[in-house]
């Protein structure tokens, strides 16, 4: 995730070399926007989250491997799903077919994902987060504040190749910011690493354009640490609470 505080105030510019990963000697994101693309908040800057990614990733994939290809494809997908509001300007997805599902649930089409955002789509309704109660911008601010150094993503293993790609993934970030739950309670992170693991089944075309994403993981793995791993004496932590929480 590119940080909202580091978005560059332009609307048509391509991603920088820092955002691609070139300073680290590896291109992990090569998204090229259409000429008429309008960024939601300005050109996203992935410099800080790339630093987190290269410092803490668990796998280094061989160039050209299925893992490397999926890793880059999903990072390019993230650029669009988070930072381009108009689905007609998306390139990584076939919006006439696209649907996304969480844990085999109700599918969402491209326009719905553009309206509510990937965070809400892939978290839903939980003890500490309500997708229905926040806008796209609000969800982006919540998690941008939570993970002040970004929330990195990596493909860890590809189990089957195209056209039905099944792969394992790992999301990670330092909980050094402030998480605000659905009741408005604030939790200051203790700086610990938050790790979320899951699986995805993606259907793609022969040109690797995404037609569907079926994402599997336990949302509690993301949100439970955000209301428990807090600085002592800070945040509205309920001692002995027994409610679970949720995801990114």
């Amino acid at each position: 995730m590119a940080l909202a505080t580091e978005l560059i105030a332009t609307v048509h510019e391509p991603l920088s070399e820092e955002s691609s990963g070139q300073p680290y000697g590896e291109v992990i994101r090569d998204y090229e926007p259409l000429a008429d693309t309008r960024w939601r908040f300005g050109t996203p800057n992935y410099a800080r989250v790339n630093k987190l990614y290269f410092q803490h990733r668990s796998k280094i994939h061989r160039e050209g491997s299925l893992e490397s290809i999926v890793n880059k494809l999903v990072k390019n997908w993230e650029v669009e799903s988070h930072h381009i509001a108009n689905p007609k300007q998306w390139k990584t997805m076939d919006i006439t077919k696209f649907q996304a599902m969480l844990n085999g649930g109700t599918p969402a089409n491209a326009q719905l994902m553009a309206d509510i955002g990937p965070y809400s789509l892939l978290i839903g309704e939980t003890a500490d987060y309500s997708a229905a109660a926040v806008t796209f911008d609000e969800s982006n601010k919540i998690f941008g504040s939570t993970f002040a150094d970004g929330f990195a993503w990596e493909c860890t293993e590809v189990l089957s190749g195209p056209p039905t790609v099944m792969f394992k993934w790992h999301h990670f970030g330092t909980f050094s910011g402030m998480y605000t739950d659905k009741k408005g309670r604030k939790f200051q992170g203790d700086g610990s690493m938050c790790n979320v693991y899951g699986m995805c089944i993606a259907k793609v075309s022969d040109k690797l354009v995404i037609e569907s994403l079926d994402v599997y993981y336990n949302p509690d793995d993301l949100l439970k640490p955000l209301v428990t791993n807090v600085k002592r004496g800070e945040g509205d932590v309920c001692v002995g609470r027994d409610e679970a929480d949720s995801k990114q």
Side-chain angles (χ1 to χ4, degrees):
M1 145 180 106
L3 299 177
T5 55
E6 293 187 337
L7 296 173
I8 304 169
T10 57
V11 291
H12 302 294
E13 295 298 318
L15 298 183
S16 67
E17 289 188 358
E18 281 189 314
S19 288
S20 74
Q22 288 187 44
Y24 296 91
E26 181 181 347
V27 175
I28 58 172
R29 188 181 292 102
D30 61 358
Y31 189 79
E32 296 183 3
L34 299 173
D36 61 346
T37 293
R38 297 189 65 84
W39 300 110
R40 280 184 186 271
F41 317 107
T43 310
N45 183 350
Y46 289 92
R48 192 179 298 186
V49 75
N50 281 356
K51 179 180 179 181
L52 175 73
Y53 170 81
F54 282 106
Q55 286 180 337
H56 296 284
R57 63 179 173 175
S58 63
K59 303 285 185 178
I60 299 177
H61 303 304
R62 176 179 55 81
E63 185 176 356
S65 66
L66 281 174
E67 285 79 8
S68 174
I69 292 169
V70 170
N71 202 57
K72 186 181 295 182
L73 176 60
V74 174
K75 289 181 182 298
N76 286 340
W77 171 86
E78 190 274 345
V79 174
E80 289 186 330
S81 61
H82 282 273
H83 297 287
I84 300 177
N86 184 357
K88 293 181 179 179
Q89 296 179 331
W90 291 354
K91 299 167 53 183
T92 66
M93 293 166 269
D94 181 344
I95 63 172
T96 67
K97 298 179 179 179
F98 181 80
Q99 58 180 15
M101 294 157 284
L102 173 62
N103 294 330
T106 304
N109 63 20
Q111 188 59 60
L112 179 59
M113 187 172 71
D115 291 341
I116 68 174
Y119 288 126
S120 288
L121 178 63
L122 298 177
I123 295 177
E125 299 302 315
T126 73
D128 292 285
Y129 183 88
S130 172
V134 295
T135 65
F136 189 113
D137 289 3
E138 288 168 342
S139 67
N140 204 53
K141 289 177 181 178
I142 287 171
F143 290 101
S145 173
T146 300
F147 298 106
D149 294 316
F151 197 39
W153 185 95
E154 65 172 338
C155 170
T156 56
E157 183 180 3
V158 175
L159 304 175
S160 65
T164 301
V165 185
M166 181 182 296
F167 59 92
K168 296 179 180 180
W169 55 263
H170 172 215
H171 234 322
F172 54 98
T174 304
F175 182 23
S176 56
M178 181 83 72
Y179 174 68
T180 303
D181 74 1
K182 68 181 184 182
K183 295 180 180 179
R185 297 177 298 184
K186 297 183 182 297
F187 301 85
Q188 177 62 52
D190 63 359
S192 59
M193 184 67 73
C194 179
N195 290 288
V196 183
Y197 298 90
M199 181 177 290
C200 180
I201 301 173
K203 292 185 178 179
V204 299
S205 72
D206 56 357
K207 295 183 178 179
L208 299 184
V209 177
I210 300 170
E211 298 176 352
S212 69
L213 295 171
D214 199 355
V215 179
Y216 292 89
Y217 82 109
N218 184 354
D220 291 347
D221 292 346
L222 176 98
L223 288 186
K224 190 172 183 59
L226 303 186
V227 296
T228 56
N229 294 349
V230 299
K231 285 187 176 180
R232 183 176 296 277
E234 299 188 39
D236 301 312
V237 180
C238 302
V239 177
R241 66 177 291 168
D242 58 3
E243 291 183 341
D245 318 311
S246 139
K247 147 173 178 113
Q248 176 262 349

